[in-house]
Amino acid sequence: MKVQLQQSGGFMGALKECSLDTDQLEADEVQAIQESVTNTNWTEAEPNPSAIRDGYQYHVRVEDQQQTYTAAYTDQTLPESLKPLVGVLKKYLKPKPLR
């Protein structure tokens, strides 16, 4: 399974991202991600969440063998079911390079 997280906003407005294959992760991290994917109602995501002062926006993309899920949330709209996935991926976020 391939997972991507892009985090933007916050006090500094920094843009960070990561793109990983779950084969690269520890077993407990993979389990948390798989449970998050299974327990999330992906149709409730906001297409373009409104920016919140000093808050974060999250753009999540998950590709497995059957389907691709894409969603966008803010700190306030991030569902409980996705918090484990975001928590795991936040450890791997790196600043997005300027082009």
Side-chain angles (χ1 to χ4, degrees):
M1 180 183 320
K2 296 184 187 322
V3 290
Q4 296 175 321
L5 176 65
Q6 186 178 70
Q7 175 187 291
S8 59
F11 179 69
M12 297 296 290
L15 180 60
K16 297 179 180 180
E17 62 186 7
C18 70
S19 182
L20 302 167
D21 191 308
T22 54
D23 292 341
Q24 301 169 295
L25 304 175
E26 299 293 325
D28 60 327
E29 294 175 322
V30 174
Q31 182 178 351
I33 289 171
Q34 288 174 337
E35 288 176 5
S36 286
V37 170
T38 301
N39 295 329
T40 298
N41 182 349
W42 293 92
T43 60
E44 292 181 355
E46 298 177 53
N48 291 306
S50 300
I52 296 172
R53 185 179 178 102
D54 297 335
Y56 289 113
Q57 293 182 349
Y58 304 98
H59 295 271
V60 180
R61 181 179 174 91
V62 178
E63 296 176 35
D64 65 19
Q65 294 176 346
Q66 293 87 22
Q67 197 163 357
T68 298
Y69 306 98
T70 305
Y73 301 98
T74 65
D75 282 327
Q76 285 73 26
T77 63
L78 184 67
E80 287 295 319
S81 61
L82 269 183
K83 288 182 180 179
L85 179 143
V86 170
V88 167
L89 296 182
K90 274 184 160 184
K91 296 187 291 187
Y92 298 97
L93 287 173
K94 303 274 189 232
K96 184 172 181 179
L98 299 174
R99 300 182 197 241

